[in-house]
Amino acid sequence: MEIDLNHAVTEVEKHAFCNGDCDKASCVCCLSSSSSSSSASNSSASPDSSSIYLELWHVCAGRLTSLPKKGNVVVYFPQGHLEQAASSSPFPPMDISTFDLPPQIFCRVVNVQLLANKENDEVYTQVTLLPQPELAGINLEGKELEGLGVDEEGGGGSPTKSTPHMFCKTLTASDTSTHGGFSVPRRAAEDCFPPLDYKQQRPSQELVAKDLHGVEWRFRHIYRGQPRRHLLTTGWSIFVSQKNLVSGDAVLFLRGEGGELRLGIRRAVRPRNGLPDSIIGNQNSYPNVLSLAANAVATKSMFHVFYSPRY
Amino acid sequence: MEIDLNHAVTEVEKHAFCNGDCDKASCVCCLSSSSSSSSASNSSASPDSSSIYLELWHVCAGRLTSLPKKGNVVVYFPQGHLEQAASSSPFPPMDISTFDLPPQIFCRVVNVQLLANKENDEVYTQVTLLPQPELAGINLEGKELEGLGVDEEGGGGSPTKSTPHMFCKTLTASDTSTHGGFSVPRRAAEDCFPPLDYKQQRPSQELVAKDLHGVEWRFRHIYRGQPRRHLLTTGWSIFVSQKNLVSGDAVLFLRGEGGELRLGIRRAVRPRNGLPDSIIGNQNSYPNVLSLAANAVATKSMFHVFYSPRY
DNA sequence: CTCTCTTGTCGGCCTTTCCGACAATTGAG
DNA sequence: CTCAATTGTCGGAAAGGCCGACAAGAGAG
């Protein structure tokens, strides 16, 4: 499973392209297609295709996430998709009979792109499906998939054991207040950050970590206080304010093989305000969602399904 | 002169490439070749090829700078180049007779690239010369050029009249202290910045200006105090610290036709510490400087001369 | 010269941010 | 339970940074 997923995404990045959907949402393909040009000191946006990025995506998505496998045949349920879209849409419910669609559509998974919303760092996937009308009559056993992203193998998709050094901490009031910095759990700091010289009185270093968009964040990591503990000071408050973090949200750090750091966020589940808070909701909502599928079936072409693993 | 130079640089950017010399120095070609991919919120590095960039370069270089014209024939003086290189080199002087070079080498100017050092924003040029052995005997009148960058037309190279809205201010102690912001000369603000609504008590706006590397800097521009004056507050101190500015250095702003702002710096001449403080010094210094020219003469191929207009 | 306009520097004050003190909490045994 | 390790929150202090006051300096007439 892990290997397959990695392959799938590597393919995506090789044939990188950017469609209209990328207008507001930052997508991996766009960013990784930016060349290796030397970038300015306070900017950087070119996540590599290393496995640590995939791991970061999965960790941000939550460990329970599983994804459809590229190349597999899945079943797309228009009704299910419509209901899901309706739940986050401001428009009144629509009648599925408007579209001349069968209740189940067999599709091959052509592509699975791991993406992240540029506005709020929400992770999501774009699944590219190609209808397979010749399979319309077969038995469902084994190869089925719900409309949105339940993998055949159940919950086996998170790359737990290939992420040796990572931690995730729910932010406290002190972490998010402007009064101080971020208190790093001891184990976390020792696992993920370069070691400090504990013989010094207040050993410190600069950490640089990239988020899902390839943006670099810099933090001063210091070991001080009585009792002594690990803290992130300078740079932390900027990160909190730019990402709009509040206590209850979580931040996570990953250390790659080469020692490079990645960081991501996982927001606390907040009461829904009824308005779609991400581009995903809009892309999946009326009147597009089913007409696109219907058109794909009619023309035997591909269509896209967006999927937010966390909802 | 201006038109020729513009053409020259446009050519450079069309056929953008990045050679090994760009390792530490940010060059225009590298940056402008980065595609139009959507960039992250706190990053941007893609200077366009508009004339305002050329103007910024010239203003940073100082108005007295003149440059060789692309397509012209110039005379390269190895001895002069060697002496110039020696003045900023830590190595002991060399004897020019080591190289089997004539005292004057007629060359055609194949290219003139306007570049900026990524580390310290120092402007410089890379002049590409092609030896013209068939001209070795002709008279010098009219078409001569010293080894490093004296144009045939003397000092006519700075685009003064095509830079309608710009200012340059030498920074005061107050401008560079952490205690406050930057006091903008009144004429300068009125010339270069969008007008404020003077009826308000403390009118303000956000200014965004790009430097030579295409990096965006944001400043709060406010008109306040008694007597009232223009100030840059938020964002200014970060600029000062990132650029390592001290009182005596100068900052300059340019407003383009479309209202877009550019800014550059011109450092005060500080006592030389003997060590070359830029990659240029190294590139021009022993043992490369003349052997590259000698090799070009022998193989009838091109060679490069780097030139810092301000020294 | 005088008068006005411009702008450099300063004190005041508020916010941000760094620091250790201390205590609440956690976890091992 | 007891004890030690960990870490959340706080007061204090230093630094950053916004404000107008004031006056030095520049320039016009």
Side-chain angles (χ1 to χ4, degrees), chain B residues 7-22:
Chain B
H7 274 294
V9 173
T10 302
E11 281 299 300
V12 167
E13 294 185 343
K14 269 189 199 162
H15 310 295
F17 71 101
C18 185
N19 58 24
D21 303 331
C22 294

Side-chain angles (χ1 to χ4, degrees), chain B residues 56 74 78 116 163 176 180 184 247 260 265:
Chain B
L56 177 61
V74 301
T163 307
T176 53
V184 188
S247 73
E260 75 279 10
I265 62 179

Side-chain angles (χ1 to χ4, degrees), chain B residues 19-92:
Chain B
N19 58 24
D21 303 331
C22 294
D23 282 346
K24 285 189 175 180
S26 149
C27 65
V28 182
C29 57
C30 299
L31 288 170
S32 60
S33 72
S34 81
S35 69
S36 62
S37 65
S38 63
S39 59
S41 62
N42 66 348
S43 77
S44 171
S46 59
D48 51 61
S49 57
S50 68
S51 68
I52 191 176
Y53 170 79
L54 302 175
E55 290 167 15
L56 177 61
W57 189 96
H58 275 100
V59 176
C60 288
R63 297 183 156 275
L64 299 178
T65 306
S66 63
L67 293 172
K69 207 191 299 188
K70 187 183 174 185
N72 273 9
V73 172
V74 301
V75 180
Y76 172 75
F77 293 101
Q79 177 70 39
H81 195 186
L82 191 74
E83 284 168 6
Q84 148 121 29
S87 68
S88 64
S89 168
F91 295 95

Side-chain angles (χ1 to χ4, degrees), chain A residues 27-261:
Chain A
C27 64
V28 183
C29 58
C30 297
L31 290 169
S32 60
S33 72
S34 80
S35 69
S36 63
S37 65
S38 61
S39 60
S41 61
N42 65 347
S43 76
S44 171
S46 58
D48 51 62
S49 57
S50 69
S51 67
I52 190 175
Y53 171 78
L54 303 175
E55 290 167 13
L56 178 61
W57 190 96
H58 275 101
V59 176
C60 289
R63 295 179 158 275
L64 299 177
T65 305
S66 62
L67 293 172
K69 207 191 298 187
K70 186 182 173 185
N72 273 8
V73 172
V74 300
V75 179
Y76 172 76
F77 293 101
Q79 178 71 36
H81 196 185
L82 192 73
E83 283 167 7
Q84 149 122 32
S87 70
S88 63
S89 168
F91 294 96
M94 293 179 86
D95 187 354
I96 192 170
S97 61
T98 309
F99 305 96
D100 185 23
L101 278 171
Q104 304 173 350
I105 305 173
F106 285 79
C107 298
R108 189 166 300 279
V109 177
V110 176
N111 215 339
V112 179
Q113 286 188 59
L114 307 186
L115 306 173
N117 186 296
K118 193 175 175 180
E119 303 293 321
N120 60 9
D121 283 48
E122 193 180 297
V123 291
Y124 66 99
T125 61
Q126 184 196 50
V127 181
T128 307
L129 299 177
L130 182 62
Q132 312 271 293
E134 69 276 14
L135 299 179
I138 69 165
N139 193 336
L140 283 183
E141 51 94 11
K143 296 280 187 187
E144 64 188 302
L145 172 74
E146 223 187 16
L148 288 171
V150 173
D151 188 67
E152 53 169 357
E153 295 177 12
S158 55
T160 307
K161 65 174 182 295
S162 66
T163 306
H165 301 293
M166 67 147 282
F167 74 92
C168 176
K169 183 194 174 187
T170 300
L171 300 179
T172 66
S174 295
D175 288 331
T176 53
S177 92
T178 62
H179 189 63
F182 172 68
S183 185
V184 188
R186 183 174 156 271
R187 296 272 176 82
E190 288 174 353
D191 258 20
C192 295
F193 299 160
L196 292 169
D197 176 12
Y198 293 115
K199 294 193 294 294
Q200 296 179 34
Q201 195 198 351
R202 278 192 288 267
S204 69
Q205 62 186 331
E206 181 176 56
L207 300 179
V208 181
K210 285 187 182 181
D211 67 16
L212 277 171
H213 311 296
V215 175
E216 282 185 354
W217 298 91
R218 287 160 192 275
F219 305 102
R220 187 163 101 110
H221 169 211
I222 191 169
Y223 186 68
R224 64 165 171 81
Q226 199 53 249
R228 301 169 89 190
R229 91 284 311 272
H230 294 270
L231 298 163
L232 300 187
T233 57
T234 310
W236 173 254
S237 71
I238 292 171
F239 178 74
V240 168
S241 61
Q242 296 266 324
K243 295 290 191 190
N244 258 117
L245 296 174
V246 297
S247 73
D249 294 340
V251 65
L252 41 96
F253 281 81
L254 268 75
R255 189 187 79 187
E257 293 300 319
E260 75 279 12
L261 286 176

Side-chain angles (χ1 to χ4, degrees), chain B residues 61-307:
Chain B
R63 297 183 156 275
L64 299 178
T65 306
S66 63
L67 293 172
K69 207 191 299 188
K70 187 183 174 185
N72 273 9
V73 172
V74 301
V75 180
Y76 172 75
F77 293 101
Q79 177 70 39
H81 195 186
L82 191 74
E83 284 168 6
Q84 148 121 29
S87 68
S88 64
S89 168
F91 295 95
M94 293 179 86
D95 188 354
I96 192 171
S97 61
T98 309
F99 305 95
D100 186 24
L101 278 171
Q104 306 172 350
I105 305 173
F106 285 81
C107 298
R108 188 165 300 278
V109 178
V110 176
N111 215 339
V112 178
Q113 286 187 59
L114 307 186
L115 306 172
N117 186 297
K118 192 176 174 181
E119 302 293 322
N120 60 11
D121 284 50
E122 193 179 297
V123 291
Y124 66 99
T125 62
Q126 183 194 50
V127 181
T128 306
L129 299 176
L130 181 63
Q132 311 272 293
E134 69 276 16
L135 300 179
I138 69 167
N139 193 337
L140 284 184
E141 51 97 9
K143 297 280 185 185
E144 65 187 302
L145 172 75
E146 223 185 15
L148 288 171
V150 172
D151 188 66
E152 54 170 354
E153 295 176 10
S158 54
T160 306
K161 65 176 181 296
S162 67
T163 307
H165 302 291
M166 68 147 280
F167 76 91
C168 176
K169 184 195 173 187
T170 299
L171 300 178
T172 66
S174 296
D175 289 331
T176 53
S177 94
T178 63
H179 189 63
F182 172 70
S183 185
V184 188
R186 184 173 156 270
R187 297 272 175 80
E190 290 173 351
D191 259 19
C192 294
F193 300 159
L196 293 169
D197 176 12
Y198 293 116
K199 294 193 294 291
Q200 295 178 32
Q201 195 198 350
R202 277 193 289 266
S204 70
Q205 62 186 330
E206 181 176 55
L207 300 179
V208 182
K210 284 188 181 178
D211 66 15
L212 277 171
H213 311 295
V215 175
E216 283 184 353
W217 298 92
R218 288 161 191 273
F219 305 103
R220 186 162 102 111
H221 168 211
I222 191 170
Y223 185 67
R224 63 164 172 83
Q226 200 54 248
R228 301 170 90 190
R229 91 284 311 274
H230 294 270
L231 297 163
L232 298 187
T233 59
T234 309
W236 174 254
S237 71
I238 292 171
F239 178 73
V240 168
S241 61
Q242 296 266 325
K243 296 289 191 190
N244 257 114
L245 296 173
V246 297
S247 73
D249 294 340
V251 65
L252 41 94
F253 281 81
L254 267 75
R255 190 186 81 188
E257 294 300 320
E260 75 279 10
L261 285 175
R262 297 270 179 174
L263 88 171
I265 62 179
R266 206 187 293 164
R267 293 185 198 280
V269 179
R270 293 198 248 289
R272 307 286 280 168
N273 56 8
L275 296 173
D277 57 5
S278 81
I279 190 75
I280 318 308
N282 290 324
Q283 286 170 335
N284 269 0
S285 73
Y286 315 104
N288 291 327
V289 58
L290 288 195
S291 63
L292 290 173
N295 182 63
V297 169
T299 63
K300 295 185 168 50
S301 62
M302 296 182 294
F303 67 108
H304 296 304
V305 173
F306 293 93
Y307 170 50

